[in-house]
Amino acid sequence: MHTMILARLSFALTFFSTATWAYHWPEPKFDAIEALLYEQSPEPHGVSLTAILNKCVPGPTGEHTAAEWVRFAYHDMATHNAEAGTGGLDASLYYELDRQENVGLGMRVTSFDFVDFPGKYVSRSDIIAIGTVVAVAECGGPTIPLRMGRVDALVAGPAGVPEPQQDLASHTASFRRQGFTQSEMIGLVACGHTFGGVRTPDFPDIVPATADGSQLVVTFDSTPKFDNAIVTEYLAGTTKNPLVVHPNRTVTSDLRIFSSDNNVTMKSISSPQAYSKRCGDLLARMLDSVPKGVQLSEVIKPLPVKLATKNPERKVTMFWENRSGGKCAHNACSAPVVSTNDTTTTLFQRAGMSPQKYRFNTPINVTTSVSKFWFEVDENDGKKPQIYNNGGTGYEIQQDRVLFVPELSTNAFNNNFTVVVAVGFRAVLVFSKIL
C-alpha cells in the first residue's frame, strides 16, 4: 500500500536584496515578507491585503479601508518621543483602542484586518507598516521605501495622539515630540488626509446625522485616490473638508495646521510630483519611527533578475537528487511545469517586473527521497539554458522523512495546536517558483 502525501514548498526568485545581504534559500523571514509585500498572495491567510483594500473603492457606508490603514499606522506611531527614544510604530495601539483619541469603528475594523497576518517571522507592527505601503501604492500614491524588523509592544503606551479640538500650539508640540517640524506636520497631515473623511458615528459633533437619523461621511477631498486634491482644493477655496470649513472653528484642525505658515508648505506641494515625493518621504519616516534599540533592516527591494518578464516559449524543469545525493537513472528525478499563473502586482509593476509562478506536481519515492533540488530554464532563444541552484548549493530539503504541512495546520487557540505531518512510502511534491 502506498500513501500519497501532499507537501508544498514555496520559492521566489524575485527575492529581496540589500547592499550587504545576498539571498540564500531558505530565508523564512524574507520569504514571508516577500509574499505579503510583493506577491500579496492569499496563502496561508485565505485573503490578500490587496483583496481587503478592494481596489481603493470606498465601501457601501463610505468607509475607506486604505485611509483607515494609514490612520491606524499614524495613531500607533503618534505617541513616539523622538528625543527619549520611546514609543513609535510598535503595535501598542492594539492596547489603546478604548481611548477617545483613537475613536472610530475603522480603528477596530483595521485591527481585525491585520489579525491573521503576523506570525513567527513578521511582527504585528511590521504588518501595520506593510499595510500602509500596500494601501498607498494600490490607491495611486508613491512607493514608500520599507524597512523591516519592528518589535511589538506588550502593553499600552502613553496617550498623546492629536485631536481635532486641540489648538495649533498643542498640535505643533505633539508633532515636534514625534520628530516632525512645523512644515513636516503640515505635509504629513495633508498626506494622511488625501483619502477618507469624517463619519457621523465617530465624530457626531463634526458630522451630525441628518434629520431622519441617517449617518454621513464627509470626505477630506473629492477623490478616493491618493492624490494632491486635498491640497489644490484647499488652496482654491473649493474644499469641503470638514476640518477646514466647519462653522465650529474649534474643530477645524486642518485649517489651523495648513495655514500655520501662511500656506507656504501647501503651495510647495501643490503639484502632483511635489506632493507624491513629499508624502513618500514623510510616510517612510513615520513608519521608521520606532523605539530606541530597535534595528530596522535596509530598504527592502526585489532582486532584479532576467526572468522577471513573461516568455511563452520558456521551458522550466525541476531536477533533484536523492537522499544520499545521488543522481536518478533515466532522468527520473526531474519534472516539468504543470501550471503557471501571473503574479503581477502594483509593486512588482513599479519595480519593472511581470513575473509568473511555475508549479510542479510529481511523486517522489520516499525510500530514496530527495536531498536538494534546482531548476533549468530554457528561454528557447538559441542560448544555453540557465541553471538556478541557490548560489551553487541547491535548494536543500531538511525534512525528508516527516514533512510538515503548514497549510493544513492551525495556530494555537486556547493552547491547542493542530499540526499536520505527512509520513508514507511516496510523496507528492508541489513546488512554486516565481521567475
Side-chain angles (χ1 to χ4, degrees), residues 101-425:
E101 65 189 30
N102 297 320
V103 69
L105 177 61
M107 302 292 276
R108 297 187 179 277
V109 171
T110 297
S111 71
F112 286 106
D113 285 342
F114 294 154
V115 71
D116 290 330
F117 291 93
K120 180 178 180 180
Y121 302 108
V122 185
S123 65
R124 266 183 173 181
S125 41
D126 275 344
I127 293 298
I128 295 171
I130 291 173
T132 300
V133 172
V134 173
V136 170
E138 290 298 313
C139 288
T143 300
I144 303 171
L146 178 69
R147 305 172 191 272
M148 304 301 294
R150 293 164 189 81
V151 177
D152 293 341
L154 300 179
V155 296
V161 178
E163 298 182 69
Q165 74 279 4
Q166 294 174 334
D167 60 22
L168 178 62
S170 298
H171 283 140
T172 304
S174 178
F175 278 87
R176 185 183 302 115
R177 170 181 47 76
Q178 298 163 29
F180 298 98
T181 66
Q182 179 188 16
S183 179
E184 291 167 344
M185 169 185 70
I186 296 169
L188 194 55
V189 173
C191 296
H193 287 177
T194 181
F195 40 26
V198 182
R199 295 195 289 181
T200 300
D202 302 337
F203 295 95
D205 293 339
I206 300 176
V207 182
T210 61
D212 63 1
S214 300
Q215 297 178 348
L216 301 174
V217 176
V218 179
T219 57
F220 295 125
D221 67 29
S222 61
T223 73
K225 294 292 186 179
F226 194 106
D227 58 26
N228 65 329
I230 180 74
V231 178
T232 56
E233 291 172 9
Y234 164 78
L235 292 174
T238 60
T239 183
K240 293 181 172 55
N241 180 348
L243 302 185
V244 172
V245 300
H246 200 280
N248 179 2
R249 291 304 184 185
T250 302
V251 300
T252 54
S253 55
D254 279 10
L255 175 63
R256 288 191 290 274
I257 291 172
F258 292 165
S259 63
S260 63
D261 66 352
N262 295 316
N263 294 329
V264 171
T265 297
M266 292 295 276
K267 290 177 182 177
S268 73
I269 57 174
S270 60
S271 73
Q273 297 80 9
Y275 179 80
S276 180
K277 174 65 168 59
R278 192 70 180 277
C279 289
D281 294 341
L282 290 174
L283 290 172
R285 281 184 51 197
M286 180 185 83
L287 299 182
D288 289 351
S289 297
V290 295
K292 180 172 58 178
V294 175
Q295 297 294 319
L296 297 181
S297 71
E298 296 292 326
V299 173
I300 302 300
K301 297 180 180 179
L303 177 65
V305 293
K306 294 180 179 179
L307 301 180
T309 57
K310 300 176 185 178
N311 179 4
E313 302 300 321
R314 179 180 295 143
K315 178 183 179 183
V316 183
T317 307
M318 179 174 66
F319 295 89
W320 62 91
E321 291 182 356
N322 62 33
R323 179 184 291 131
S324 60
K327 306 291 184 180
C328 299
H330 306 297
N331 212 29
C333 290
S334 66
V337 172
V338 295
S339 66
T340 64
N341 64 280
D342 296 343
T343 59
T344 300
T345 63
T346 297
L347 291 173
F348 263 144
Q349 289 173 340
R350 292 184 177 188
M353 297 181 175
S354 55
Q356 289 183 297
K357 179 174 286 186
Y358 293 81
R359 298 181 182 274
F360 303 83
N361 189 334
T362 184
I364 294 178
N365 189 325
V366 78
T367 60
T368 57
S369 191
V370 56
S371 60
K372 62 182 178 181
F373 53 92
W374 63 94
F375 299 91
E376 180 182 276
V377 179
D378 187 352
E379 299 286 358
N380 278 308
D381 56 1
K383 298 180 181 178
K384 184 178 180 180
Q386 298 184 59
I387 304 298
Y388 292 87
N389 59 3
N390 207 24
T393 65
Y395 303 100
E396 296 180 339
I397 299 293
Q398 301 297 324
Q399 306 169 124
D400 72 343
R401 289 182 175 83
V402 178
L403 301 177
F404 172 52
V405 187
E407 287 82 357
L408 301 181
S409 302
T410 60
N411 295 326
F413 181 74
N414 293 332
N415 294 321
N416 291 322
F417 292 85
T418 300
V419 179
V420 178
V421 297
V423 182
F425 297 104

